[in-house]
Amino acid sequence: MARTPLPHLLVYTHDRGLTGTFEFRAPDGTSASMIIVEGRPAKARLTATPIYLGQVLLEIGAVDAATLDQSLRQLATTPERKLHGLLLLESGKITEDQLERGLEVQLLQKIAQLARMPAATVFEFYSDWDGLSEFGGDPLPIDAMSAVWASIREQPPFEHIKAALERMTRGRLRLSKTAQLDRFGFTPEEKRWIELLHIRPMRLDHFFAAADVNERITRLIVYCLAITKQI
């Protein structure tokens, strides 16, 4: 992953519409798996710190603490194996939209955690194979662009960012006519700043000077837009 960081893997699979399973192995023995469906991340499993759906639903306000505690107790006493999200849905505690949003946020958090795996982590891709068929529910593909931004923001590949920005210093940045900024999960402030490029092409240093967000984030955003061909 030092040579090919996670954001680049996500862009590669997205651009080619690949389907299959990524397997990651770190030197410390931790591992991760990620399902890709037609270029979109759809499911992930990590052997490091787990990210539970119930906690995510609490974070996004879909359930309160009392409802979460009650559902966990019910889950522990259910004879047959049942997914937590399905139990909450069937009991009327959450809607289908809330469940889908919770699963999306959970997967983005897993991708961010996967991005933090050591640079010496190695990976393999198995085309047209579901390595997580017996884990969790059905795959739920999310937008690959939001996954790219989540991985960059969490663990920036600084050497790659530096090289990319150096290649842009002599020209002017222009937002592509096909740019789709809503796909990334940028904040309203970040989107307003990026849309300056709709007005006119700008040199990189002028673009940074016009930013109303911090310098670190501006560099990450430009890198994200560059590798996803938005600029």
Side-chain angles (χ1 to χ4, degrees):
M1 288 178 73
R3 181 185 304 173
T4 311
L6 182 60
H8 290 256
L9 292 179
L10 293 169
V11 170
Y12 182 89
T13 54
H14 169 265
D15 290 350
R16 287 158 181 78
L18 300 182
T19 294
T21 302
F22 273 109
E23 297 284 355
F24 301 87
R25 296 189 307 278
D28 63 2
T30 59
S31 63
S33 302
M34 179 171 62
I35 300 299
I36 302 291
V37 176
E38 296 181 349
R40 302 165 64 194
K43 191 193 295 188
R45 179 174 62 185
L46 311 169
T47 61
T49 307
I51 297 173
Y52 295 109
L53 177 61
Q55 187 60 38
V56 172
L57 292 170
L58 181 64
E59 291 172 5
I60 65 175
V63 298
D64 56 27
T67 300
L68 176 58
D69 290 343
Q70 180 187 20
S71 67
L72 288 173
R73 288 194 296 270
Q74 184 179 352
L75 195 67
T77 58
T78 302
E80 71 277 10
R81 181 182 177 187
K82 179 167 286 192
L83 297 171
H84 193 187
L86 184 59
L87 184 148
L88 287 166
L89 182 64
E90 291 177 347
S91 60
K93 302 301 182 182
I94 59 172
T95 65
E96 288 189 9
D97 286 345
Q98 288 174 321
L99 176 57
E100 284 195 10
R101 177 56 182 162
L103 290 169
E104 178 183 6
V105 173
Q106 181 191 35
L107 181 52
L108 286 172
Q109 290 184 4
K110 288 182 177 182
I111 289 170
Q113 186 169 320
L114 201 161
R116 293 198 298 269
M117 293 183 75
T121 297
V122 297
F123 62 86
E124 297 170 335
F125 181 72
Y126 298 90
S127 182
D128 299 318
W129 177 65
D130 183 353
L132 295 178
S133 59
E134 298 182 2
F135 172 74
D138 294 333
L140 181 66
I142 65 172
D143 197 318
M145 297 299 101
S146 63
V148 170
W149 177 232
S151 62
I152 291 173
R153 191 161 192 163
E154 182 64 32
Q155 187 68 30
F158 288 112
E159 289 300 319
H160 293 263
I161 293 172
K162 180 181 177 182
L165 295 184
E166 285 177 351
R167 290 194 294 270
M168 291 186 244
T169 55
R170 296 182 181 180
R172 295 177 185 270
L173 304 181
R174 181 195 301 272
L175 204 59
S176 168
K177 292 180 180 179
T178 59
Q180 298 174 306
L181 301 181
D182 289 336
R183 297 178 61 188
F184 291 84
F186 294 132
T187 67
E189 292 78 14
E190 291 165 353
K191 285 173 62 177
R192 280 199 299 271
W193 167 67
I194 298 167
E195 286 169 354
L196 289 173
L197 296 177
H198 268 311
I199 302 172
R200 67 183 189 279
M202 299 176 68
R203 285 167 51 97
L204 188 63
D205 54 347
H206 293 169
F207 189 45
F208 286 159
D212 55 1
V213 290
N214 71 65
E215 182 177 349
R216 176 182 181 275
I217 291 296
T218 63
R219 293 178 178 276
L220 301 189
I221 290 174
V222 170
Y223 173 70
C224 179
L225 296 176
I227 67 172
T228 56
K229 302 179 180 64
Q230 305 295 301
I231 54 174

